[in-house]
Amino acid sequence: RLHSDGSRDTSFDPDAGTHIDGNTGFLARVYSIERLNSGKYLIGGNFTAYDENAVSYYARINHNGSFDSSFVGQNFDTYPKVSLEQASEKIVIGGSFTTPSPYLERLSSTGVVDSSFSQGTGPGGSVYTLVEDKEGALWVGGNFFSYDGLSSRPIVKIAGGSSPYALWVKKNFTQSQITAGDSAIDQDPD
């Protein structure tokens, strides 16, 4: 972590940092960082350990860089590409993973899978971006052309963070629209 003048913040010490479990000499990449309202950080990448603590491609770390052992880890089968803390302090994770749920998952602030997050089959491919708008709707973007089994654009708006808005799901895309990307966007009444 750096200060605003570019100098290193010596109060932030990740010690062994991100690495492959059992090999602190093999540092691993971090692909996503989300600063949480608590001042902690949620990080995702191709690591299976953080400071000699086994994790599954993501971890929550304290403001000083130490591992936060109070955060329950889920068994993702590959690293999350993006994370977002919602106003409710629930955490939405997106990526190319297929477990615990394919491509998109929501966790409680402690890391437990949020069973109230009802997305059906969810996006039909990888998720690369997440945004929560001022009304609390979740916008999900990525490399997919279906959401919950229905043809869609590669961006969907999810009402209240659970079910897709009907306006943003289109049932009958032609193959040429999917290949070229459909630029004829419907009017959003919001």
Side-chain angles (χ1 to χ4, degrees), residues 49-109:
Y50 185 87
D51 192 19
E52 300 186 57
N53 295 279
V55 297
S56 186
Y57 303 105
Y58 77 104
R60 188 168 69 185
I61 59 175
N62 296 309
H63 71 283
N64 64 359
S66 65
F67 179 71
D68 182 357
S69 61
S70 69
F71 189 73
V72 177
Q74 299 302 316
N75 289 319
F76 288 104
D77 56 1
T78 189
Y79 63 88
K81 296 182 184 307
V82 62
S83 58
L84 169 74
E85 182 181 38
Q86 296 182 293
S88 64
E89 296 186 356
K90 293 185 179 183
I91 300 165
V92 183
I93 308 274
S96 298
F97 53 84
T98 57
T99 59
S101 293
Y103 313 115
L104 186 65
E105 188 64 80
R106 186 166 70 183
L107 310 174
S108 72
S109 62

Side-chain angles (χ1 to χ4, degrees), residues 14-30 43 45-55 57:
D15 200 15
T18 59
H19 55 89
I20 301 304
D21 194 22
N23 185 354
T24 58
F26 186 84
L27 298 180
R29 292 184 175 108
V30 173
I43 60 172
N46 69 343
F47 54 89
T48 56
Y50 185 87
D51 192 19
E52 300 186 57
N53 295 279
V55 297
Y57 303 105

